[in-house]
Amino acid sequence: MQNIQPQYNNKVLVIGGGMGGIRTALDLAEAEKNVILVDKAYAIGGLMTQLDRTFPTNNCDLCTLSPNLSESSRQEFIELLTMTTVKDVRGEKGNFTVLLETAPRYINLEKCTACGECHKAYPECVRFTPGLDHRAPTCMRYPQATPQAFSIDLAKCTDVEALMKSCPAGAINPDDMGRKREVHCGSIVFSPGGALFDPSHLDYLGYATQADVVTSLEYERILSASGPTMGQLVRPSNGQQPKKVAWIQCIGSRGLQKGAGQYCSSACCMFALKEAIVTKERFQDDIETTIFFIDMRTMGKDYELYYLRAKNEFGVRFVRSRPHSILREHGKENLTLTYSAEEGGANLTEEFDMVVLSTGFRVADDVKELALKMGLELNADSFPKTDGFNPVVTSVPGIYVAGVIQSPKDIPETMVQASAAACMAGSDLGPVMEKVEREQEPLPLETGVVGEEPRVGVFICDCGENIGGVVDAAALAEYAGTLPHVAVAELKGHGCSRESMQQIQETIKAERLNRVVIGGCSPRTHEAKFQEVIRRAGLNKYLVEVANIRDQVTWVHANRPQRATEKAKDLIKMAVGSVVRAQPLADHSLPMNKNVLIVGGGITGMTTALQLANQGLKVYLVEKSAGLGGLATSLRRTLEGGDVQAFVKDLVLRTESHDNIQVITRAIIVDHSGMPGMFKTGMQTGKQMFYRQIEHGVTILATGALPNRPSLYLLDECEAVSTQRELQTLIEDQPGTVKAWDNVVMIQCVGSRTPDNPNCSRICCQNAVKNALHIKEINPDARIFVLYRDMRTYGFQEEYYLKARELGVIFSRYTLENPPKVEATDQMVNVTFTDPILGRQITVTANCLCLSTGLVADEDSNDELARIFKLPRTGDGYFLEDHVKLRPVDLPIPGFFVAGTAHSPKTIRESVAQALAVASRARTMLAKDSINLGAAAARVDKNICAACLICVRSCPFGIPFINADGYSEIDPAKCHGCGMCASACPAKAIQLMQFEDDRIIAKLEELFERNIA
Amino acid sequence: MDNFEPVIVAFCCHYCAYTAADMAGSQRLSYPANVKIIRVPCSSKVDALHIVKAFEKGADGVYVAGCLEGDCHFKNGNSRAVRLVEYVQKYMDEIGIERERLEMVMMSAGMGYRFAQVATEITEKIRKLGPSPIHAAISL
Amino acid sequence: MITAERKPLEELIEYVRPYKRILLVGCNECVTVCAAGGRKEVGLLASGLHMALLKSGSAIEIREHTLERQCDPEYVDELVSMIDGVDAIMSMACGCGVQELARRFKGKPVFPAVNTKFMGASERQGVWAERCQGCGDCLLGKTGGVCPIARCAKQLMNGPCGGSTGGHCEIGEDVDCAWALIWERLKELGQEERFVEIMPAKDWRPGGGSGPRKIIREDLAE
């Protein structure tokens, strides 16, 4: 081994290059902090790269992910080390020394172009393939891999010489030795992700013996366009399309099988729902989908709606049962599932073509070993123990966790923790960072195109099956080639993949293109990406137009391929017509205001405020009520036993005494203007309601949610009826009362998961378990009945649920159609419910009936704020984030962020994680000294302006004015780019850049030239 | 005209209607392919000239889709668009094109379902109306 | 500023129906400012005429052009290169522009596309109101800056009349009584006494009573 070299220690080491690790690294890099990102695989991306689609939007994963991946390897602050493992960690917070070992790739990353020639010549050199992927060669895991290079398994190679010759780039180096080196870092983010439970040893499930029994990840690979079957859903045993598919939940979770974890894996229910929906979408009535489950745990934001859609719209069948075996009878092709009937318990059998095992997460052995090496305290399931109020803080100062390693979770929660860990780890490097002028890869000079004959390059993406599965993408490219001014028209697999983008750049240069059209997905998500591509090829970035033939054609007209093809042609022709009129434009920029406005002074708002204030930023913390603390001031302890009051008191104290935080109470926001980086928000404050205005660069909404209080089950009518929150106070303050109780009944989902409020309130199940355990502590003889619909004790909450059952708490399921009935009898409540196991009605006379009423959005406040800030909300009134999967705390309007229960119901720890995450996201923006305003500003032709004042009067922001020369002037740095003045101008003297009239008219002309001729 | 497939232009504001169209896409909500979207930053960017030109070129229907009342990203662009559409409808009366062929609709960014529904309803309405008189005259 | 409003399309169609090719001319001055005949209105009218005629089975070619000012011959010269092959001209300028085109292009029929309305001011976006009738003998200095000729329905020199109620003219609630305005204004100026002075009968000759008017500036005129 060679190259042991010391490094400087103002860095963060991120271990694991999955979605979480990438997010952490990007957040830190954007906040201008140095990162070393190590991953043991040969390409980053982790588990998500193997998914076909993600819930709840059913977006293609790679489409949403790949722009992030390529971003990650390019960032100047990130050193990416793949095929690298951490061998040793020494030192302490602020000064860790880490020994890294990089395995030989046998390929020179600088030279490899990922052409695939080695793969064609020597497919046997297979290194590792997830699940069923028997196609991969020298193994690139997916077409958009980062780094964009292959990796060779030398052990499987018999003729090294020949293999080397197969590479046209001369990139194969059999003498690659790998290397060891020591790095120093101030803090470490540990995000190695989870391994999946291997069900091979469970012979009754037949996974090891039956080809048609697959894990949910393998099923995902079969569905995936980049998978082994190219997206064809077929049975592994015979290659036929299955007619009946079953999913079995909780394999390897909830302590149900040998070797299973005690916890709930949290993501599998949604995972199975998604797979069932995607399957139904493709084959409709041609396929039957059945999910066998115990509790349907769809507790995420709007997840319940997804569940309802699966059931009601897609006809997915749900059976509440744990199948006890999967067998294939002799001579039969199908699998026989044996399970107990939901009611009555009779043994039933049913045949299926395929069975999918929803395998849960676990901690991989090597990860556990590394965790111990780092000195992390682990729980019984080998997950690192974390702080009671801050889920990313481990037992070792300076080492943080994010993602599945903290506790099993889905992607949005991983993204939140990744940003939260970035916030914590970044803070350890200290607030002052000397700004080093870095050498940036210089951009080529822009080629002059004005006056040149347009030479358009059209690149059509097939986007896997997304576009290519509906329309003939090659024929589209051929058609585009016939259009006027089009010099090149080519088909690209995934235009957004690194490889394609490279090719596009080369084609632009080779063919001297001066305009580009991408036929692909939405310009909303990908225009910026392609602007950058053409800029790197020497073109002004505004010379590209994206024709949205996916979101507007193939995704919505899949059932009519002929019409879809025609429409795709129209959109491409329109884009070409428009782009030939595009002119090079310059971006405008303004200095960034680095103050922060946080709305809401609860735990979330205070946590964010402290993080940002500690980084030297000025924070205005605005609270509607008279004091800080929010809803948490009425809470006592957490499920894990944390003292909420002490925690809140400490936060309030630190917030109020912080020099950089100005707390403004009794404040109501009344107006808002400006743009990201230079907002102005007006509010009325104090008892006198004085008006004041604050200037700030970012806005963070931490406005919380309200406790729900529906008039159900005698609440507010009978003294023995309370909510979980009230019960908690009672238990703490009057243990004597609790000691005297004989019977306690809790009803779950009161006011949640109903037609009026369809979503799950997420916190109630653990609340009920928490209070039940606490009652049992004081009064072990009390009989406690929890009437539930699905127990949603996700993650490690499951262990408390188990404990409650062990202590004799009775959990009895009810249905929405047959809710419990209550009746007041002096001081007590009679609760009557049907027990599904006994199959008969039971009446309990309860000393206390406790209702799990959950949270609802603060309709009045949120409505008001959404109007003032122009922010979208979900159907049930919470703020709607920009991307439910990848940008869970960013709001769609740049410069706005949301955290805590204003986003959706969540626990205190989850709110703290989001609070830290928004602090990190806000920092990425505030690290910049100027704001790029883009180029979409209105421009006046002074030669034809009649100085009529119509623009001056119509601009909603008061920007145009008639200057001393007697014509209208519009400051591009102040223009918001709506185009109102341009459309109103009677002299047609104003054009809005990027949306010029001639481009809009050209689109119309092109559209109708094709259609009316 | 049994097989009449109208051509409909939808001017969609970037912040709401265009986003809603993307939402319809990601939710795979099907709607007629007759609707072709032209993206504008705000519904108020749509000029009377754009609408009139669309009909002149042969559009059978045109609609302007903006944000919900009070939700315009640019304060009041959508209510200006409402007034513009009414103004152009009067001009269409003069020209002799049924004013039903032009419509203003409003939706929020999250309303993928509404986008698909509006596209379907307007297409059906225009299909019933038949080809626009201008379309018919050009095709002669 | 001179204000104008587009004529009903029906009337304009009849003007141009006999022709195959017309030139539609806008003006970048007053009619642009009052949104009646600028570049945008030219575009809208061209499309409207084109469509309306297409419907009735006749095709027409419309060339569009907007001049800086239609009432000056030098600007009008710009049209010379466009006039060949044009059967008729339609002007979106005020009456002055229409007549200038008619004078300049002999043998080409010239039609007005707008009704010239009045000399007025912009009250707010999209609203214009009459302020001056060009009487040739301005008396605003005596009436507190409010013109009774242009703004009193009866053009009274000594108002108000009995129809003035609550500041409104009897012809409509939305019409201010000019004399009520004059009173308010004089009060503000502390010149109430002017209100009771009797003004002599107006000499209407400078206002066109003695035939078409002309202004000659000797120093400029050649």
Side-chain angles (χ1 to χ4, degrees):
Chain A
M1 301 279 170
Q2 52 188 11
N3 291 346
I4 294 187
Q5 42 181 248
Q7 304 266 322
Y8 298 106
N9 78 341
N10 62 345
K11 294 183 174 174
V12 178
L13 175 71
V14 179
I15 305 171
M19 257 344 276
I22 291 172
R23 181 75 268 157
T24 305
L26 282 175
D27 268 15
L28 286 164
E30 283 172 39
E32 306 193 344
K33 311 217 185 247
N34 289 295
V35 182
I36 304 170
L37 176 61
V38 302
D39 196 298
K40 65 180 178 195
Y42 22 85
I44 56 171
L47 185 59
M48 193 176 170
T49 58
Q50 291 162 52
L51 305 181
D52 172 43
R53 276 150 216 278
T54 50
F55 55 78
T57 52
N58 290 7
N59 269 353
C60 159
D61 265 307
L62 284 174
C63 305
T64 39
L65 179 63
S66 53
N68 286 298
L69 294 182
S70 38
E71 208 177 344
S72 131
S73 76
R74 207 190 50 228
Q75 281 276 351
E76 49 173 320
F77 289 92
I78 301 176
E79 184 182 356
L80 174 62
L81 300 171
T82 46
M83 304 182 76
T84 300
T85 46
V86 176
K87 287 288 155 195
D88 191 32
V89 177
R90 282 175 288 124
E92 55 191 24
K93 176 170 158 178
N95 194 12
F96 288 105
T97 303
V98 181
L99 182 65
L100 300 176
E101 186 178 306
T102 303
R105 181 187 281 268
Y106 303 113
I107 284 194
N108 185 337
L109 283 183
E110 304 288 313
K111 290 185 183 165
C112 176
T113 61
C115 65
E117 287 299 321
C118 55
H119 152 212
K120 268 187 234 156
Y122 296 94
E124 70 277 9
C125 298
V126 177
R127 182 185 285 277
F128 157 69
T129 49
L132 301 170
D133 195 344
H134 44 68
R135 207 168 42 99
T138 32
C139 197
M140 191 152 66
R141 281 166 76 185
Y142 51 98
Q144 292 96 326
T146 295
Q148 182 77 15
F150 286 81
S151 162
I152 284 173
D153 189 349
L154 215 54
K156 295 217 173 93
C157 186
T158 48
D159 187 349
V160 178
E161 285 287 309
L163 177 67
M164 281 173 72
K165 279 197 193 116
S166 74
C167 178
I172 299 176
N173 170 20
D175 302 326
D176 192 349
M177 294 178 67
R179 58 180 188 161
K180 272 191 181 177
R181 72 163 180 173
E182 249 180 20
V183 295
H184 296 270
C185 56
S187 51
I188 297 174
V189 176
F190 188 45
S191 54
L196 292 171
F197 179 78
D198 179 2
S200 301
H201 61 289
L202 305 171
D203 52 3
Y204 55 93
L205 295 177
Y207 175 69
T209 51
Q210 301 301 327
D212 292 336
V213 179
V214 297
T215 66
S216 40
L217 184 62
E218 286 165 347
Y219 190 78
E220 192 82 11
R221 293 307 298 151
I222 296 176
L223 286 177
S224 172
S226 67
T229 56
M230 309 290 278
Q232 298 295 310
L233 173 58
V234 291
R235 296 173 61 175
S237 64
N238 61 7
Q240 308 274 306
Q241 187 211 307
K243 297 278 178 202
K244 275 185 84 174
V245 183
W247 279 259
I248 304 178
Q249 298 305 102
C250 302
I251 305 295
S253 303
R254 300 182 71 177
L256 294 176
Q257 299 88 8
K258 193 177 160 205
Q262 292 298 314
Y263 47 85
C264 159
S265 286
S266 303
C268 329
C269 282
M270 283 297 282
F271 200 64
L273 284 177
K274 172 195 67 179
E275 289 184 340
I277 288 178
V278 169
T279 304
K280 278 301 242 184
E281 251 175 0
R282 286 210 200 153
F283 302 101
Q284 278 106 35
D285 294 338
D286 224 23
I287 202 159
E288 277 179 42
T289 53
T290 308
I291 298 178
F292 291 88
F293 70 106
I294 305 168
D295 292 292
M296 187 48 64
R297 292 189 167 169
T298 49
M299 61 281 167
K301 188 174 187 177
D302 280 351
Y303 288 2
E304 186 74 10
L305 302 178
Y306 194 71
Y307 174 31
L308 294 175
R309 272 173 64 203
K311 203 170 3 183
N312 303 331
E313 281 176 40
F314 291 94
V316 176
R317 176 177 156 228
F318 291 88
V319 179
R320 197 182 289 268
S321 180
R322 274 171 62 194
H324 101 327
S325 64
I326 304 168
L327 296 167
R328 188 161 62 91
E329 282 173 39
H330 189 69
K332 270 196 165 175
E333 282 209 342
N334 290 347
L335 301 161
T336 306
L337 225 79
T338 312
Y339 65 98
S340 312
E342 222 169 314
E343 271 155 42
N347 251 14
L348 300 174
T349 58
E350 191 172 335
E351 286 191 12
F352 289 93
D353 298 336
M354 265 181 99
V355 177
V356 183
L357 305 178
S358 287
T359 48
F361 293 111
R362 52 179 284 273
V363 176
D365 296 341
D366 59 332
V367 169
K368 178 182 173 185
E369 199 182 313
L370 176 56
L372 290 171
K373 223 178 260 174
M374 291 194 288
L376 299 179
E377 267 182 57
L378 306 183
N379 71 11
D381 289 308
S382 305
F383 288 81
K385 286 186 182 168
T386 51
D387 182 86
F389 286 101
N390 187 336
V392 302
V393 168
T394 67
S395 57
V396 179
I399 301 184
Y400 305 95
V401 286
V404 173
I405 191 64
Q406 185 270 328
S407 167
K409 58 176 60 65
D410 59 9
I411 294 167
E413 284 187 66
T414 297
M415 298 305 271
V416 166
Q417 286 194 346
S419 286
C423 174
M424 297 299 293
S427 303
D428 288 352
L429 302 183
V432 198
M433 275 277 298
E434 236 177 88
K435 262 201 184 168
V436 194
E437 277 307 314
R438 282 160 180 278
E439 251 183 68
Q440 290 208 353
E441 190 191 328
L443 286 169
L445 283 178
E446 284 185 15
T447 322
V449 302
V450 181
E452 300 270 314
E453 189 63 20
R455 285 180 63 77
V456 183
V458 182
F459 302 96
I460 308 285
C461 307
D462 69 14
C463 201
E465 288 288 293
N466 281 297
I467 292 172
V470 176
V471 297
D472 182 348
L476 274 184
E478 200 176 303
Y479 164 78
T482 65
L483 296 171
H485 301 298
V486 173
V488 181
E490 286 175 3
L491 178 66
K492 293 284 159 212
H494 292 266
C496 55
S497 71
R498 181 75 85 80
E499 185 187 9
S500 302
M501 293 202 280
Q502 193 68 41
Q503 286 168 3
I504 291 172
Q505 284 177 19
E506 277 155 20
T507 310
I508 291 172
K509 287 183 214 160
E511 297 286 336
R512 293 176 295 105
L513 300 178
N514 55 20
R515 302 284 193 290
V516 171
V517 167
I518 305 291
C521 58
S522 177
R524 282 178 54 253
T525 52
H526 281 62
E527 189 177 58
K529 205 89 227 158
F530 289 111
Q531 285 181 338
E532 207 183 314
V533 168
I534 71 160
R535 180 64 195 87
R536 283 174 184 277
L539 288 180
N540 178 279
K541 71 179 198 181
Y542 293 105
L543 299 174
V544 63
E545 173 112 15
V546 181
N548 191 347
I549 60 171
R550 188 189 69 184
D551 301 40
Q552 288 175 16
V553 180
T554 53
W555 274 359
V556 288
H557 312 313
N559 49 354
R560 305 193 60 186
Q562 184 57 36
R563 300 269 297 144
T565 304
E566 290 305 309
K567 180 169 169 183
K569 284 182 181 173
D570 287 339
L571 297 191
I572 289 162
K573 188 161 189 285
M574 289 161 79
V576 171
S578 168
V579 85
V580 297
R581 287 161 177 84
Q583 292 302 325
L585 299 170
D587 282 346
H588 306 286
S589 67
L590 273 181
M592 168 80 69
N593 179 321
K594 300 207 175 190
N595 298 341
V596 179
L597 171 66
I598 299 176
V599 188
I603 286 182
T604 308
M606 289 189 286
T607 304
T608 308
L610 284 166
Q611 284 298 327
L612 292 171
N614 284 341
Q615 293 281 305
L617 298 162
K618 171 85 190 163
V619 177
Y620 297 98
L621 182 60
V622 171
E623 166 59 41
K624 169 170 80 167
S625 70
L628 297 175
L631 196 55
T633 50
S634 66
L635 303 178
R636 297 308 179 90
R637 54 162 141 165
T638 63
L639 177 64
E640 298 82 9
D643 182 343
V644 181
Q645 287 311 300
F647 177 68
V648 174
K649 268 192 197 126
D650 173 61
L651 270 180
V652 172
L653 194 69
R654 285 193 288 141
T655 303
E656 285 178 339
S657 60
H658 204 293
D659 285 344
N660 288 343
I661 302 177
Q662 187 180 353
V663 177
I664 306 169
T665 51
R666 293 184 203 269
I668 295 168
I669 297 204
V670 291
D671 61 56
H672 175 78
S673 61
M675 57 185 69
M678 44 178 296
F679 291 125
K680 274 185 197 158
T681 301
M683 58 198 74
Q684 287 176 319
T685 66
K687 283 185 183 152
Q688 276 76 37
M689 289 277 120
F690 285 127
Y691 179 83
R692 70 177 287 190
Q693 199 178 49
I694 285 167
E695 294 189 0
H696 54 107
V698 301
T699 313
I700 293 165
L701 296 180
T703 51
L706 293 178
N708 193 7
R709 202 172 182 88
S711 298
L712 292 167
Y713 300 112
L714 302 173
L715 184 62
D716 294 324
E717 286 172 42
C718 170
E719 280 203 13
V721 182
S722 69
T723 64
Q724 292 286 3
R725 209 159 47 98
E726 291 159 350
L727 175 61
Q728 189 187 6
T729 312
L730 186 81
I731 297 170
E732 292 279 348
D733 296 347
Q734 302 172 41
T737 310
V738 174
K739 237 184 181 112
W741 286 347
D742 295 320
N743 293 318
V744 178
V745 178
M746 298 180 181
I747 304 178
Q748 300 303 101
C749 302
V750 176
S752 303
R753 300 182 66 196
T754 60
D756 290 343
N757 181 26
N759 271 308
C760 165
S761 278
R762 188 177 177 100
I763 56 168
C764 323
C765 282
Q766 57 103 26
N767 256 335
V769 168
K770 171 175 74 180
N771 285 339
L773 286 173
H774 207 166
I775 293 171
K776 279 286 188 187
E777 230 173 78
I778 296 169
N779 178 0
D781 297 330
R783 273 185 302 263
I784 306 174
F785 299 84
V786 179
L787 309 182
Y788 72 98
R789 288 171 57 197
D790 289 278
M791 277 312 283
R792 293 181 169 175
T793 43
Y794 52 93
F796 297 121
Q797 294 174 4
E798 182 69 16
E799 292 172 8
Y800 295 89
Y801 174 36
L802 186 66
K803 189 171 166 201
R805 279 180 294 167
E806 279 168 4
L807 288 174
V809 177
I810 296 161
F811 290 84
S812 175
R813 200 167 55 77
Y814 76 90
T815 59
L816 185 59
E817 297 73 35
N818 185 18
K821 288 176 188 63
V822 294
E823 186 192 8
T825 61
D826 59 346
Q827 315 294 318
M828 314 261 259
V829 186
N830 280 336
V831 184
T832 306
F833 57 94
T834 308
D835 186 281
I837 294 169
L838 303 176
R840 41 175 259 221
Q841 286 213 329
I842 294 172
T843 300
V844 177
T845 303
N847 304 82
C848 168
L849 170 62
C850 179
L851 307 179
S852 289
T853 46
L855 295 172
V856 285
D858 184 346
E859 186 54 39
D860 293 344
S861 279
N862 289 6
D863 183 56
E864 191 72 24
L865 290 170
R867 273 174 187 279
I868 292 171
F869 292 129
K870 309 280 181 230
L871 296 169
R873 295 194 296 150
T874 60
D876 46 2
Y878 294 98
F879 291 105
L880 178 62
E881 59 272 39
D882 188 34
H883 192 290
V884 293
K885 213 73 197 168
L886 298 178
R887 287 159 62 84
V889 299
D890 294 59
L891 287 166
I893 312 238
F896 282 89
F897 303 91
V898 64
T901 48
H903 165 277
S904 66
K906 51 180 62 67
T907 65
I908 292 177
R909 289 179 106 213
E910 289 161 349
S911 291
V912 168
Q914 281 203 337
L916 299 171
V918 288
S920 177
R921 301 295 303 140
R923 262 192 227 164
T924 61
M925 197 175 147
L926 296 169
K928 297 176 183 70
D929 292 325
S930 63
I931 324 151
N932 186 349
L933 303 172
R939 196 181 277 177
V940 180
D941 181 345
K942 63 178 178 185
N943 295 318
I944 55 176
C945 170
C948 67
L949 290 165
I950 286 180
C951 56
V952 175
R953 290 167 183 159
S954 53
C955 176
F957 307 99
I959 310 300
F961 65 100
I962 305 299
N963 66 15
D965 294 332
Y967 60 87
S968 167
E969 188 173 318
I970 297 171
D971 182 349
K974 291 185 184 152
C975 174
H976 289 230
C978 62
M980 230 177 274
C981 56
S983 73
C985 176
K988 294 284 93 199
I990 307 180
Q991 290 296 334
L992 180 69
M993 297 301 105
Q994 287 185 267
F995 296 93
E996 298 88 345
D997 287 320
D998 63 341
R999 293 180 70 177
I1000 292 177
I1001 302 281
K1003 284 187 182 177
L1004 291 170
E1005 272 167 1
E1006 299 294 341
L1007 171 62
F1008 291 106
E1009 193 188 276
R1010 243 183 69 75
N1011 284 282
I1012 317 269
Chain B
M1 281 236 187
D2 286 343
N3 305 325
F4 169 56
E5 287 296 348
V7 185
I8 296 164
V9 177
F11 291 102
C12 291
C13 81
H14 175 88
Y15 288 92
C16 291
Y18 195 91
T19 309
D22 278 358
M23 280 291 257
S26 51
Q27 293 171 11
R28 310 298 191 278
L29 302 169
S30 172
Y31 58 85
N34 308 58
V35 173
K36 326 284 172 176
I37 293 172
I38 292 181
R39 184 168 66 114
V40 283
C42 174
S43 52
S44 68
K45 170 69 184 78
V46 179
D47 193 320
L49 270 172
H50 302 155
I51 300 173
V52 169
K53 290 279 180 205
F55 283 113
E56 189 182 4
K57 303 284 172 204
D60 299 299
V62 174
Y63 65 97
V64 180
C67 307
L68 291 176
E69 183 82 51
D71 280 354
C72 174
H73 182 73
F74 300 104
K75 291 190 182 172
N76 59 351
N78 52 355
S79 46
R80 280 176 173 273
V82 170
R83 296 208 301 272
L84 177 86
V85 164
E86 284 167 6
Y87 177 78
V88 177
Q89 281 176 331
K90 283 187 199 140
Y91 193 37
M92 290 167 67
D93 292 345
E94 284 194 87
I95 298 169
I97 304 172
E98 303 89 329
R99 59 160 65 205
E100 294 78 19
R101 295 185 186 274
L102 173 63
E103 210 171 308
M104 175 80 201
V105 293
M106 290 173 158
M107 61 189 72
S108 78
M111 291 180 171
Y113 179 74
R114 175 158 161 77
F115 183 89
Q117 193 185 22
V118 163
T120 308
E121 283 170 9
I122 291 183
T123 307
E124 283 321 304
K125 183 178 76 177
I126 303 292
R127 203 191 292 279
K128 283 205 190 91
L129 278 172
S132 98
I134 309 305
H135 180 171
I138 300 170
S139 310
L140 279 178
Chain C
M1 170 188 61
I2 294 167
T3 61
E5 243 181 347
R6 181 175 54 75
K7 283 177 174 285
L9 197 63
E10 213 180 343
E11 184 183 339
L12 300 178
I13 293 166
E14 291 317 309
Y15 280 137
V16 300
R17 195 184 288 286
Y19 305 105
K20 288 269 166 282
R21 197 172 289 134
I22 69 160
L23 177 64
L24 183 59
V25 190
C27 173
N28 207 32
E29 289 282 346
C30 311
V31 288
T32 292
V33 178
C34 69
R39 208 166 275 103
K40 175 175 178 165
E41 297 301 315
V42 167
L44 282 173
L45 180 59
S47 292
L49 284 174
H50 180 234
M51 283 192 268
L53 285 163
L54 203 60
K55 265 190 64 181
S56 58
S58 44
I60 188 167
E61 185 193 324
I62 304 173
R63 297 182 187 171
E64 301 171 30
H65 192 74
T66 298
L67 294 174
E68 182 57 36
R69 192 152 63 239
Q70 264 189 45
C71 50
D72 275 314
E74 289 88 341
Y75 288 122
V76 174
D77 279 349
E78 261 178 61
L79 297 179
V80 170
S81 61
M82 296 168 217
I83 207 78
D84 274 355
V86 166
D87 308 324
I89 302 171
M90 182 167 271
S91 165
M92 295 203 82
C94 66
C96 314
V98 179
Q99 293 180 56
E100 185 54 30
L101 298 190
R103 188 193 65 78
R104 182 68 181 74
F105 300 108
K106 303 197 168 38
K108 301 280 183 199
V110 177
F111 303 108
V114 303
N115 290 321
T116 308
K117 303 291 277 233
F118 49 77
M119 285 183 275
S122 163
E123 281 189 347
R124 57 176 198 276
Q125 179 89 303
V127 179
W128 296 271
E130 183 161 18
R131 290 287 181 269
C132 177
Q133 288 198 342
C135 72
D137 179 20
C138 190
L139 45 83
L140 285 167
K142 293 174 182 159
T143 56
V146 177
C147 179
I149 313 289
R151 303 178 71 177
C152 167
K154 292 175 175 166
Q155 300 180 328
L156 291 181
M157 296 299 289
N158 294 288
C161 71
S164 174
T165 37
H168 299 298
C169 173
E170 65 184 339
I171 65 166
E173 281 276 300
D174 54 341
V175 181
D176 290 327
C177 167
W179 280 101
L181 292 177
I182 292 169
W183 169 243
E184 290 300 325
R185 177 82 179 135
L186 290 175
K187 246 190 344 191
E188 275 168 30
L189 296 170
Q191 298 175 356
E192 290 96 329
E193 71 283 358
R194 287 217 160 166
F195 197 75
V196 293
E197 278 174 28
I198 303 290
M199 281 209 265
K202 170 115 180 129
D203 178 359
W204 293 102
R205 282 169 302 182
S210 58
R213 295 169 282 177
K214 192 176 268 188
I215 300 170
I216 299 170
R217 265 286 291 268
E218 290 91 350
D219 56 337
L220 293 172
E222 286 172 5

